[in-house]
Amino acid sequence: MSLEIERKFLLPAYPEQLIREGALVVRSEHAIDQTYLALHEDQELRVRRIEDLRTGEIQYTHTFKRGFGLSREEVEVSISEGLYEQIIAIHQAIPLTKRRVTAEWDKRTVEIDVYDQIDFIVLEVEFSSEEEARSFEPPAWFGPDISTSKEYSNKKVWRDLQARKKET
């Protein structure tokens, strides 16, 4: 099982100016549909449909995560379109949808998630150790650090979507 170490920030706005100036260099853009199959305390099981917006290539993944905060265990495997479609059909949940922009900034890879169903943008930075993550000094344009805030977790946002579905 691999360990994912990351910090997340709530961007106040999409950094268009930094892209125009070349300080943030976009490497790829993907449309992601993310559906949780099981959630229990600090564990989650999900599937994703990931479309490369430049090439149109689509991949499907099945992921198990455990933990909360800066470090989480993660196992992700590729699955077939057929298996993904079967799971989605049985589960009948609303997927969380977002556009993920992977970019280079200050010799680091950052991922910017622009959510479709809610009004927020999250920037993630991955690290090789918790010490490196804790010592990282983010620039002001990153916005508030939400790494340990459950309010902004994908799981919570997805649960909120399901609750809205039941109300209608």
Side-chain angles (χ1 to χ4, degrees):
M1 195 173 299
S2 66
L3 193 61
E4 175 186 62
I5 303 167
E6 66 185 9
R7 286 185 57 193
K8 296 181 180 188
F9 303 88
L10 186 61
L11 283 178
Y14 190 76
E16 290 284 351
Q17 184 173 343
L18 291 172
I19 294 169
R20 281 194 302 277
E21 294 170 353
L24 188 66
V25 179
V26 173
R27 298 290 183 217
S28 64
E29 291 187 61
H30 293 87
I32 299 174
D33 291 4
Q34 181 167 300
T35 302
Y36 290 89
L37 307 176
L39 298 170
H40 180 70
E41 296 175 3
D42 71 340
Q43 297 178 35
E44 63 189 63
L45 192 60
R46 72 170 189 228
V47 290
R48 279 182 169 173
R49 177 189 184 276
I50 305 166
E51 179 181 358
D52 186 315
L53 295 175
R54 291 184 180 166
T55 67
E57 180 183 326
I58 299 172
Q59 58 181 314
Y60 302 89
T61 62
H62 186 258
T63 307
F64 169 78
K65 287 190 175 192
R66 181 173 52 201
F68 177 75
L70 293 180
S71 299
R72 299 191 304 165
E73 294 174 298
E74 178 182 67
V75 175
E76 185 168 81
V77 295
S78 293
I79 60 173
S80 69
E81 178 182 7
L83 180 56
Y84 173 84
E85 293 297 337
Q86 285 178 38
I87 290 169
I88 293 299
I90 290 169
H91 202 48
Q92 295 187 354
I94 298 170
L96 176 64
T97 61
K98 58 189 175 182
R99 178 174 55 102
R100 173 164 289 168
V101 176
T102 303
E104 295 297 321
W105 167 79
D106 195 30
K107 300 180 183 170
R108 289 191 177 276
T109 299
V110 297
E111 292 178 335
I112 300 169
D113 288 345
V114 180
Y115 292 80
D116 296 323
Q117 297 117 320
I118 52 174
D119 187 23
F120 67 83
I121 305 169
V122 174
L123 181 140
E124 298 179 0
V125 184
E126 291 200 13
F127 300 93
S128 57
S129 71
E130 282 194 26
E131 180 181 35
E132 180 187 5
R134 283 190 196 95
S135 66
F136 176 71
E137 293 291 333
W141 69 268
F142 275 25
D145 187 330
I146 59 170
S147 303
T148 58
S149 174
K150 290 185 178 183
E151 176 185 355
Y152 295 102
S153 74
N154 283 322
K155 289 187 289 197
K156 183 194 182 301
V157 172
W158 183 81
R159 279 184 174 139
D160 290 349
L161 286 173
Q162 305 322 298
R164 277 191 259 156
K165 173 186 170 186
K166 290 177 184 175
E167 293 171 1
T168 58

